[in-house]
Structures are given as structure tokens and as C-alpha cells.
Amino acid sequence: MKLQQLRYVVEIVRHGNHLSAAAEALNTSQPGVSRQIQLLELDLGFEIFQRTRNRIIGITEPGKLVLAIAQRVTTDIAALRSLKSDMNSGNRGTLTIGTTHTQARYVLPAVVERFIKGYPQVHLTLKQGDPEEICALVESGDADIAVGTETMREFPGLVQLPCFELPRSIIAPKGHPLLSIPELTIEEIAKYPIITYDTRYSGRWKVMKVFRDAGIEPKVSLSGIDADVCKTYVEKGLGIAILTTVTYDQERDVGLSARDASHLFPGSMIKVSLRPNVYLRPFLVDFVHAIAPQITMTVLRDALREAPARAGMY
């Protein structure tokens, strides 16, 4: 049994059971990956993957246990490498953050600015994606932490700590009737076309649930992948948007105005996600603490210590 074989298992699942994509990511050949998986299965005495006509179509029940172990082993190796790097270089190294557009554009700039000034010898990388994509980056070891909103599916292999909540506002062109009516209600909002987030984002389903609970089917005129796209089309007069308040910038959004709607729509909870076995380098802890001051080294250590028992992984 080889570490390389466990890496192959993780990459195959990560790439949707496509051998060719996994082989490309691993910079090796598809037959080589297939052969190593077969050898691992022979060594274990059971099949890891379900197949039809030599094509992988899923993972077996025993294979799920292999995957959990493989993920743990490969991320442990990554943690060891981080430890080696930290011991050899002090406050030098690389910190990779997976984050969504809203966080990268509106929440993190001040944090990043302070971090770069405080750790000039740490290379900071931001990798953007939707909430599930950035958690998957952490899960696979391609990012150290993720900063984003709730996900549609659970990530039981990650430790997720709440940071703060972002309230919502109605974003509309200046002079829009919703900005000045005495009482803002769900019924009044539903009279106008709505520009909202793509279905991959929690902001979309949180807002839509409020309408559904009120027995109203709003007219969605357009879906965007981020707040800036949504605001662009609001400014064109194609509808109104229900976005987190932080995305409205009075100086930049000169053609728009915002009205608080936090009493009607739930906010979005921003969370930091980490692997349970992540090595807590001092600059990683400082970055998280800058986002959420209540998350200290002690809080992080306690959360990581409790994670194995909670997830049932160890």
C-alpha cells in the first residue's frame, strides 16, 4: 500500500469519478492511475469503486471508509509539510484562502491589507469560488481555510466556525417606490422583478424561502453569480435586488440606493472552515482572528480537538 495510491483515490472522487481528469490533475497517465487503484483493491481485498464496462460510476460502502482515511492521510501529510516550512522559515510561507466574491470584494480587503503589512514575507493567495467550491478546496488541501457563507451540502470532514452575520437590504435604482413607501413588506417587494444570486449561493435560497413561506411566487428576472453583477442590472432598471447590506457602496453605486430589509429576510452567516488536522501557524491564526476577533488560538485549538469525535472520523 502506497501513499500515492491513496492520493489517487482522493483525486478520482474529487473529479467526479473521471479517471482522465484525475490523471491530468496528478500529472500522470490514466492507465497508471487505473493500475494503482486495482493494486490497492487487490491489497485490501475489496473494491473501492463501482464500475460498469471498466468505467467508474461511484464508490462502494467500504470505499467510502477508504476515502475518509485517504483524505485524512493526505491532509496530514500536507500539515506536516506546513509544519516543516514553518519551523524552517518562521513567519514566512504561503497562506491560501478560499473565498467567495462578496468576501473577497467587500469583507476581506481591510483584513488582507493589515495582514500583508504585518507579514510581508508570507505569500497570500485568494482562490475564489462558490461556497461549496471553496470548502472543497480546503477539504482537498488546496486551500488552508475557506471564508464564505453556508453551503447547500454538509462538509462533515471540516471544522466550521461562525464569524458574523451579514444583514440584507433592498438595492434599487434611486427614486424607486420601494425606497420611500412607509412600510416595506414582502407583498410590496413581490410587485417588482427580482435580480438574485445563482442557486449555488445561500443568499438565493434564503430569500426565496421567505417568499415561499408567505405563499408568494416572485418574478425572478435574472440570476447573477455575485453582487456586482446583480447591481449592474439593477442599475439598468431590470429589477431590484435583495443583497447583503455590505455590498452596497454609497460612493461607488451612485445610481442606486439601499433600504434595510433585515426585518424581512434572514442574514447570511459568514463561516471560517478548516481541516481538523490543520497546523495552526501563527499567521493563519492571526488572519482568522482579524476576520472574527472572538476566534482566538484557544477557540481554534478547542474546536479542532473536538472535531474528530464529532465527525466520527478517528
Side-chain angles (χ1 to χ4, degrees):
M1 192 179 301
K2 302 175 182 177
L3 176 62
Q4 180 188 50
Q5 293 169 333
L6 298 180
R7 289 185 59 218
Y8 287 2
V9 171
V10 172
E11 286 299 321
I12 289 170
V13 175
R14 184 183 171 203
H15 287 87
N17 298 323
H18 294 293
L19 274 175
S20 57
E24 184 177 351
L26 292 160
N27 197 29
T28 188
S29 68
Q30 181 176 330
V33 172
S34 181
R35 176 60 177 161
Q36 288 300 319
I37 294 298
Q38 289 171 359
L39 289 173
L40 179 58
E41 289 177 326
L42 184 63
D43 192 21
L44 291 171
F46 57 80
E47 291 186 342
I48 298 170
F49 294 103
Q50 298 172 338
R51 296 175 176 84
T52 178
R53 295 181 181 178
N54 295 321
R55 178 172 168 267
I56 292 176
I57 59 171
I59 189 166
T60 65
E61 286 302 315
K64 292 177 182 178
L65 298 176
V66 174
L67 174 62
I69 293 169
Q71 288 174 328
R72 190 160 69 244
V73 169
T74 53
T75 53
D76 277 344
I77 294 297
L80 280 174
R81 287 175 179 150
S82 295
L83 175 60
K84 175 186 175 182
S85 174
D86 194 55
M87 291 299 98
N88 291 337
S89 59
N91 284 329
R92 299 180 183 179
T94 300
L95 181 61
T96 303
I97 312 295
T99 189
T100 59
H101 170 84
T102 296
Q103 315 318 312
R105 170 69 177 80
Y106 297 101
V107 175
L108 293 181
V111 173
V112 169
E113 182 182 17
R114 289 196 299 272
F115 182 86
I116 290 175
K117 289 179 179 177
Y119 296 96
Q121 295 180 319
V122 175
H123 178 69
L124 186 65
T125 300
L126 298 181
K127 292 187 176 183
Q128 281 188 230
D130 64 44
E132 290 191 9
E133 287 172 342
I134 62 174
C135 285
L137 287 174
V138 176
E139 199 172 47
S140 66
D142 291 324
D144 296 299
I145 63 172
V147 182
T149 53
E150 303 97 324
T151 55
M152 294 288 285
R153 70 178 178 92
E154 294 184 355
F155 286 83
L158 298 182
V159 175
Q160 297 186 310
L161 300 173
C163 297
F164 53 85
E165 190 172 70
L166 295 177
R168 300 192 189 283
S169 289
I170 300 296
I171 310 297
K174 286 186 180 297
H176 194 281
L178 285 178
L179 300 172
S180 57
I181 58 173
E183 183 181 3
L184 187 65
T185 65
I186 299 298
E187 291 74 17
E188 287 294 329
I189 295 169
K191 292 179 180 179
Y192 303 93
I194 294 173
I195 297 168
T196 185
Y197 283 117
D198 184 89
T199 53
R200 294 172 294 171
Y201 292 82
S202 64
R204 164 75 174 247
W205 45 267
K206 280 177 176 284
V207 168
M208 291 300 108
K209 184 179 184 301
V210 172
F211 285 109
R212 285 198 303 272
D213 290 348
I216 297 172
E217 186 63 37
K219 179 184 177 183
V220 177
S221 60
L222 184 72
S223 296
I225 60 171
D226 61 57
D228 288 342
V229 170
C230 292
K231 289 190 298 182
T232 295
Y233 291 100
V234 170
E235 199 164 11
K236 293 291 184 182
L238 301 180
I240 58 101
I242 304 162
L243 305 174
T244 51
T245 306
V246 71
T247 62
Y248 173 69
D249 186 328
Q250 189 172 3
E251 293 183 3
R252 292 174 181 266
D253 300 324
V254 293
L256 304 174
S257 290
R259 180 171 180 175
D260 177 58
S262 59
H263 61 296
L264 298 175
F265 299 96
S268 286
M269 177 58 68
I270 305 305
K271 296 182 178 182
V272 168
S273 302
L274 311 90
R275 294 184 300 279
N277 55 1
V278 67
Y279 172 58
L280 294 177
R281 292 174 287 178
F283 55 78
L284 183 153
V285 175
D286 283 355
F287 190 91
V288 173
H289 184 65
I291 298 170
Q294 75 274 19
I295 303 179
T296 61
M297 172 67 88
T298 300
V299 171
L300 280 171
R301 282 177 174 165
D302 289 346
L304 297 181
R305 189 179 300 117
E306 295 169 4
R310 188 170 60 245
M313 291 179 63
Y314 289 79

